[in-house]
Amino acid sequence: IMSGIVLYGIDISPPVRACMLVLRALDLDYEFREVNLLAKEHYSEDFSKKNPQHTVPLLDDNGDLIWDSHAIVCYLVGKYAQSDELYPKDLLKRAQVDKHLYFDASTLFMSLRNVSVPYFYHNVSLVPKEKVDNIKGGYANLEDFLGDNPYLTGSTLTLADLCCGATVSSLAAILELDEEKYPKVAAWLERLSTLPHYEEDNLPGLTKYIALLRSKLTLEH
């Protein structure tokens, strides 16, 4: 690949898919190297040297290594975007995007990870009510955040939508979105699904992820 950009990951991972969506939005060529988490390849000696946190995605941009999907996507826009809509330079507009990136990392993704990690690594299939409620809380927050806007920060698609969208679409692997209760979230996800190449970048991994999890879990309500 001429760009020298390598993304390490596995497509069932929502944060990896967020990076794929951003690389696509920026029209960047990159090489995808699969790291099989279920086979614990992220603990291999080679990968551990590159990322001692043992997480995917990991970006290698011509020898410069960055991990955490949110750090990766902000870097990619800052370095390669022709314009700044996805991650505005204006401090106030940027803060509006950042707050949603932090919400994704601290709330949305954790509500997913707190179910998927126990299942994938310890075969825990019972999801306590508290964990189910955390997912419902995330959906409710997003419904309020969206208000009457098509996207999370207003009328323009940003990194907030791509990162939160990859996670929220994946929460259906645990608790399907109640479209009557959260119509704005449903409409927003539908809007994101019409992005060019969304089917190629988010759908295959998402479909596999839902197939791996949904039928195996028992939820306490």
Side-chain angles (χ1 to χ4, degrees):
I1 301 284
M2 296 298 290
S3 69
I5 297 173
V6 181
L7 183 69
Y8 290 85
I10 186 169
D11 69 355
I12 59 170
S13 158
V16 170
R17 284 184 266 121
C19 291
M20 291 164 74
L21 288 166
V22 173
L23 283 157
R24 177 76 71 182
L26 298 173
D27 204 20
L28 288 171
D29 279 334
Y30 66 99
E31 179 191 342
F32 186 77
R33 285 193 199 158
E34 182 163 294
V35 180
N36 187 340
L37 303 187
L38 304 179
K40 303 231 170 132
E41 285 179 7
H42 50 315
Y43 284 95
S44 70
E45 191 180 346
D46 181 51
F47 191 82
S48 299
K49 274 184 197 153
K50 291 186 172 80
N51 177 1
Q53 198 179 335
H54 312 287
T55 52
V56 295
L58 167 70
L59 185 80
D60 181 341
D61 183 2
N62 294 278
D64 292 323
L65 299 168
I66 303 170
W67 65 88
D68 186 277
S69 58
H70 306 92
I72 290 170
V73 296
C74 294
Y75 165 82
L76 286 170
V77 172
K79 184 165 180 185
Y80 293 108
Q82 305 296 316
S83 58
D84 73 340
E85 290 91 24
L86 285 174
Y87 194 49
K89 292 190 170 79
D90 177 273
L91 284 178
L92 191 58
K93 286 182 180 169
R94 174 166 288 199
Q96 303 301 337
V97 175
D98 283 340
K99 75 180 181 193
H100 293 301
L101 297 180
Y102 293 129
F103 176 73
D104 181 37
S106 65
T107 303
L108 292 177
F109 184 67
M110 288 314 290
S111 73
L112 186 70
R113 192 176 187 278
N114 287 340
V115 174
S116 62
V117 168
Y119 174 71
F120 286 135
Y121 295 114
H122 307 289
N123 222 11
V124 177
S125 59
L126 185 68
V127 185
K129 183 178 184 300
E130 176 195 353
K131 290 186 179 183
V132 177
D133 287 347
N134 285 341
I135 293 171
K136 289 179 181 171
Y139 284 148
N141 283 145
L142 279 174
E143 187 74 8
D144 293 338
F145 294 164
L146 281 158
D148 296 322
N149 293 318
Y151 299 109
L152 281 170
T153 61
S155 57
T156 312
L157 179 84
T158 69
L159 292 180
D161 301 289
L162 297 175
C163 288
C164 291
T167 307
V168 174
S169 58
S170 306
L171 284 171
I174 304 165
L175 182 70
E176 206 162 353
L177 180 74
D178 182 337
E179 298 194 1
E180 286 187 8
K181 211 171 188 178
Y182 311 112
K184 291 170 181 176
V185 178
W188 168 73
L189 284 174
E190 181 60 36
R191 210 167 287 126
L192 294 180
S193 74
T194 64
L195 290 171
H197 305 290
Y198 178 91
E199 289 199 351
E200 201 178 324
D201 294 324
N202 194 51
L203 213 54
L206 173 62
T207 308
K208 277 187 266 186
Y209 189 73
I210 290 174
L212 278 172
L213 270 175
R214 189 189 277 163
S215 63
K216 318 290 194 304
L217 300 175
T218 306
L219 275 54
E220 288 185 339
H221 288 284

